[in-house]
Amino acid sequence: MPADAFAADQPLPLPDQNEWARRANQAARSVTRTFGRRLLFLPGTHIGAVSLPATTLGSVFGPWHYWWQAQYVDCLVDAGRRELATTTKFDGVSRPSAGRLASRLVTTIRLRNLLRFENHFYDDMAWLALSTHRLEKLAEETRKPGRRRNAYVRKKLTLQFHSASTDDLGGGTFWSTQRDFKNTPATAPVALYFARTGHRERAQSLVTWLNSRLFDPQRGVYLDGLRIRNGETVLEEAVYTYNQGPILGALLELGGQENLDRAARLVESVSRELTVPGTRVIHGDGTGDGGLFTGILVRYLALAARDQRLPAPVRDTARALVHATAGAFWLTRREAPEPGRAKAPTEAPALIFSPNPLRPAAETYPVGAAVELSTQLQAWMTLEAAATL
């Protein structure tokens, strides 16, 4: 895919919202049918295979990536919101709704995590708390009573976030239970969760800490974190795409002129600092955990694109970033019968999306290569973001 197809100075012909929704549905079906499976064949369970091809023993005893599953919940909530708007299931009337699959997934995460929602990483727990909170809101909008389990998730994980958000290093949230690193990946989603659940003062204090300790005024983006090493504080200066997403969401959720001004400047900085040169496309961050980074940023850029409190040029920039990145993922996809299950002749083939939006999936995931769940969720969530605009 030539980068000049997404040149920043060229008008981009855009599909309409219905076409973006169709593409998001196709991505949703591809991920849920090929990666989704029961845990140990237990009825009523659903979880995403970490990679395909997969083995049953590997899915039970191998790595399963708690936070990837949390992002899977979020993607299903996105699909569920479109189902609510159109009164049409994303995968047909004979299959479970997106909301039902998301609920099964949350239950299965607890089973796979040895009957607990807590783990060693506060950022992982923050992602699950955010997605479960969104799932609860979806249940309310569909007039279906929320499960007591969702309240239990919030109670257990909120306690974890209060514990991890201390005065050490002047504020912020620890990354893990080792408590030697306070960083943007944990502090930003915890701040967003606090803002969405009524703990606004705590949320603002975390945002203020990020602004004072981890914001790079020259580049206009947030750095990775502060590490305690041999009694000294060491600044980790790496800049990751996904770190900008939840802090953007927290700034918008909290509102107020200062936060909104910061959000507007952050959108412009993302456009300048984190796109492929000469394009509107957010750059990819590889596979593994990095296979989710671009998609997470795009999710929150879509919120900025729809927020009428931001200046129109900022909204236009955010919208262009979302559309260009989603368009790139779509154009570089390939059909992939080989990792999926047997399908009926009338079913669309499974899709494989590239981890890098401007590199063809035929190159990054050639036939026969193992395909990671993270990268497929990333493209799906990016298409979902485009479908909201």
Side-chain angles (χ1 to χ4, degrees):
M1 169 58 55
D4 58 8
F6 297 93
D9 59 352
Q10 295 295 322
L12 185 68
L14 293 175
D16 62 19
Q17 191 173 29
N18 290 334
E19 175 61 15
W20 284 122
R22 186 192 69 80
R23 294 175 180 183
N25 269 340
Q26 196 167 344
R29 288 192 294 270
S30 183
V31 172
T32 56
R33 292 186 187 185
T34 57
F35 286 85
R37 59 207 55 227
R38 291 177 176 178
L39 179 67
L40 285 176
F41 306 105
L42 292 172
T45 60
H46 184 85
I47 199 162
V50 170
S51 66
L52 293 177
T55 65
T56 301
L57 286 178
S59 66
V60 174
F61 298 107
W64 64 287
H65 297 297
Y66 177 115
W67 88 282
W68 295 11
Q69 308 295 335
Q71 300 299 331
Y72 188 9
V73 175
D74 241 344
C75 287
L76 286 167
V77 173
D78 290 337
R81 295 194 65 82
R82 286 189 297 99
E83 288 181 335
L84 183 62
T86 62
T87 68
T88 302
K89 288 185 179 181
F90 82 97
D91 202 14
V93 295
S94 64
R95 294 178 182 264
S97 68
R100 182 174 293 276
L101 278 182
S103 184
R104 290 179 183 177
L105 177 54
V106 174
T107 296
T108 310
I109 288 171
R110 182 170 181 264
L111 291 175
R112 180 63 178 79
N113 202 46
L114 304 178
L115 302 181
R116 302 172 72 244
F117 284 113
E118 302 93 333
N119 84 347
H120 295 300
F121 296 95
Y122 295 106
D123 59 335
D124 289 12
M125 291 185 275
W127 292 119
L128 183 62
L130 285 167
S131 60
T132 307
H133 182 254
R134 291 187 69 224
L135 177 59
E136 181 72 6
K137 294 296 183 184
L138 176 64
E140 291 174 3
E141 290 183 38
T142 56
R143 295 183 174 87
K144 295 178 181 177
R147 299 182 61 173
R148 284 183 295 176
R149 180 210 58 210
N150 294 332
Y152 177 79
V153 174
R154 289 198 303 276
K155 178 181 177 181
K156 298 294 285 187
L157 297 188
T158 300
L159 290 173
Q160 294 291 315
F161 304 146
H162 285 306
S163 169
S165 302
T166 69
D167 292 333
D168 300 274
L169 301 179
T173 303
F174 282 114
W175 178 54
S176 75
T177 54
Q178 288 188 338
R179 294 176 175 255
D180 61 356
F181 190 30
K182 284 192 167 180
N183 63 3
T184 304
T187 305
V190 168
L192 177 56
Y193 174 75
F194 278 150
R196 286 180 172 175
T197 56
H199 303 274
R200 295 180 62 83
E201 287 187 11
R202 279 187 172 270
Q204 187 62 64
S205 70
L206 294 177
V207 167
T208 300
W209 182 82
L210 285 169
N211 292 340
S212 64
R213 301 301 300 272
L214 293 178
F215 181 72
D216 182 340
Q218 278 70 47
R219 299 184 64 183
V221 292
Y222 291 82
L223 307 179
D224 193 41
L226 294 173
R227 192 179 298 277
I228 302 170
R229 184 179 296 155
N230 299 322
E232 301 291 329
T233 301
V234 179
L235 174 63
E236 300 285 355
E237 298 186 62
V239 174
Y240 297 111
T241 50
Y242 84 131
N243 282 348
Q244 319 310 316
I247 182 59
L248 176 59
L251 291 167
L252 296 173
E253 189 71 33
L254 288 167
Q257 197 58 52
E258 182 178 349
N259 286 329
L260 293 175
D261 288 345
R262 282 188 175 275
R265 291 195 295 271
L266 182 56
V267 169
E268 298 294 351
S269 297
V270 164
S271 180
R272 183 181 65 251
E273 298 286 333
L274 300 178
T275 52
V276 176
T279 78
R280 306 177 183 90
V281 178
I282 305 295
H283 69 69
D285 280 296
T287 55
D289 285 344
L292 280 161
F293 287 6
T294 297
I296 289 170
L297 173 55
V298 171
R299 175 188 296 284
Y300 294 99
L301 285 169
L303 295 182
R306 301 196 306 271
D307 197 316
Q308 296 296 316
R309 297 170 300 173
L310 297 179
V314 172
R315 299 199 306 272
D316 290 344
T317 296
R319 180 184 298 266
L321 294 170
V322 172
H323 279 150
T325 308
F329 276 124
W330 184 256
L331 288 175
T332 56
R333 77 196 187 283
R334 71 172 176 88
E335 293 185 355
E338 79 282 349
R341 300 169 180 171
K343 64 180 182 64
T346 56
E347 289 183 2
L351 300 178
I352 293 297
F353 295 97
S354 177
N356 183 331
L358 288 177
R359 284 190 64 197
E363 295 178 5
T364 57
Y365 280 136
V367 174
V371 179
E372 290 185 306
L373 173 65
S374 59
T375 60
Q376 305 311 292
L377 291 174
Q378 170 173 256
W380 176 11
M381 72 176 69
T382 301
L383 292 165
E384 293 284 2
T388 66
L389 301 182

